[in-house]
Amino acid sequence: MKRTASLVALAALPVGVLAVFFVLPVAGMLGRGLWPDGSFAPGAMLDVLARPRVGRVVWFTVWSSSVATVVAVLLGLPAAYVLHRLDFPLRGALRSALLVPFVLPTVVVGVAFRQLLREGGPLGFLDLDGTPVAIVAGLVFFNVAVVIRTVGATWEGLDPRPAEAAAALGASPARVFTSVTLPALRPAIVSAASVVFLFCATAFGVVLILGGVRYASVETEIYLLTTVLYDLQGAAALSIVQLVAVVGLLTVAARVRRVPDPTVQRAVPRPHRPRRSDLPQVAATALLLGLLAAPIVALVTQSLRVDGAWSLTNYRNLTTTGDDQVLLVPVTTALRNSLQTALDATWIALLLGLLVAIVLTRRSRSAGERRVRAVLDGFFMLPLGVSAVTLGFGFLVTLGREPLDLRTWPLLVPVAQALVALPLVVRTLVPVLAGIDDRQRQAAASLGAGAMRTALTVDVPIVLRPVAAAAGFAFAVSLGEFGATSFLSRADHPTVPVVIFRLLGRPGEGNYGMALAASVVLAATTALVILAVERLRVRGVGSW
């Protein structure tokens, strides 16, 4: 009873936060869609889904996400092999660099590709600006790191003996790959593909900037229905559809994810020097690096060009409110707002994530404790099924009126960003806490150490670096969060992603140049944070 009571006490804070800032907003969103006039009317939602534009939006979301997923897998597999099975100088630096696109703010990725493909840009002659090809390219840029990390972590730990046996029996390298390696990698590939599809289907900033109104996904259509057309019922109906689809995708991803049996001893291969047979994979990885670098180089280069000459004018203008005073505060003020908001979101996500990770990894000693932990486990995973835009929309319709009017609460945006970052924090900490040998705690207890002393002596030294890494991930995600923040940010207290989007929507070369400069500053800040996180990451624990 004491252990069950302590488990409930540990879970009380995260349960309370999720109840108010997740369950209540999602319930409010469901109410808007299924109870539009105070009475249950599912037909109203079906009427929304029967709209011709809604059908086009859903179809565009499905096919663009599918194409982007296939391309990301095809580009990511060779890079996963090169970066996780070959040994060469600067391998660690390249692995860290390839993670940066995944954590870049989506609005920055959209601006970078727009600059690369717009008329007068390096690839402007292709006439791809504002096309579905540009959107798919942006989605691949953003998500190929998921394939590299997820598949690479599995590839790195594959037992080499089956492949060696097949080669000894005369199988060619291609035959060894298709008959031995690929089947062993299939669960990781399917898991990575399902996650990439999920991220593509719920992408917001990339699609909003590159597609605008013409090419909208479900995510951007929810935003447009809410902020432009004020059709809250339509937005709620689409949010429900997206919620069901995302939960289904997460269920598929969970079922196909392979969990190795820790009791089985496996021979872990050592990375080898590149061979002649590795040249195609090395060439494909080099091509991928060039493709990933191109939009960033174009963004940085153009931010330093004014009237055909090299200049820092765009960066100096960040201290102003833009042409025709399009902003209420300078971009530098928005940057301070972003840093403060990200700091607040980080400590909130870290506090909740630590408590959740402790609850989920605590060893159960009774049937009652196992049942309580199973219920809490499912409850804490609920935020994975809701996108940032849906969460922001739920905040808007439930927390902006009595009896719970939190529109002016200074922690409203940080809480929303913390909920977006929470799954990443939990995923970073759970494998580390679960991997602590309980015999160390028992040894400390047998020597007379109390629970607090045991935790300080055994647990804290092991989790210190992962906690710092989780804090860095949460800070980077919060710094560039745009989906939920676009609904909740006030005009006099904006974050940098919101300011960039506002500058892009206003005429004038000065405003556009400021948007480019602000994007570079935001991207550089995020990249520095994530590169520092890579130095703190525990190698071999989890796929990230």
Side-chain angles (χ1 to χ4, degrees), residues 314-400:
N314 291 328
Y315 291 88
R316 297 191 188 100
N317 288 342
L318 296 181
T319 60
T320 70
T321 55
D323 295 345
D324 300 324
Q325 307 294 307
V326 298
L327 303 175
L328 295 183
V329 297
V331 178
T332 50
T333 300
L335 180 59
R336 287 196 296 271
N337 295 340
S338 289
L339 293 173
Q340 182 60 57
T341 302
L343 284 173
D344 289 335
T346 298
W347 71 257
I348 294 172
L350 205 58
L351 174 61
L352 298 178
L354 269 171
L355 292 174
V356 171
I358 292 171
V359 169
L360 297 184
T361 57
R362 183 168 173 169
R363 287 162 177 79
S364 303
R365 297 182 181 176
S366 67
E369 191 177 355
R370 282 193 293 272
R371 285 194 294 269
V372 171
R373 205 184 80 162
V375 172
L376 292 174
D377 191 0
F379 181 72
F380 291 143
M381 292 301 103
L382 287 177
L384 286 173
V386 177
S387 69
V389 166
T390 300
L391 184 64
F393 175 62
F395 271 47
L396 186 68
V397 299
T398 58
L399 303 181

Side-chain angles (χ1 to χ4, degrees), residues 73 212 225 319 368:
V73 170
L225 287 173
T319 60

Side-chain angles (χ1 to χ4, degrees), residues 150-151 154 182-194 253 256-258:
T150 304
V151 178
T154 300
L182 188 59
L185 292 176
R186 187 176 292 118
I189 294 173
V190 175
S191 178
S194 61
V256 300
R257 187 178 295 120
R258 182 180 61 179

Side-chain angles (χ1 to χ4, degrees), residues 92-116:
L94 286 178
R95 287 169 65 162
S96 300
L98 283 173
L99 179 60
V100 170
F102 177 69
V103 296
L104 281 180
T106 57
V107 66
V108 170
V109 175
V111 172
F113 270 89
R114 186 174 177 182
Q115 186 56 40
L116 180 69

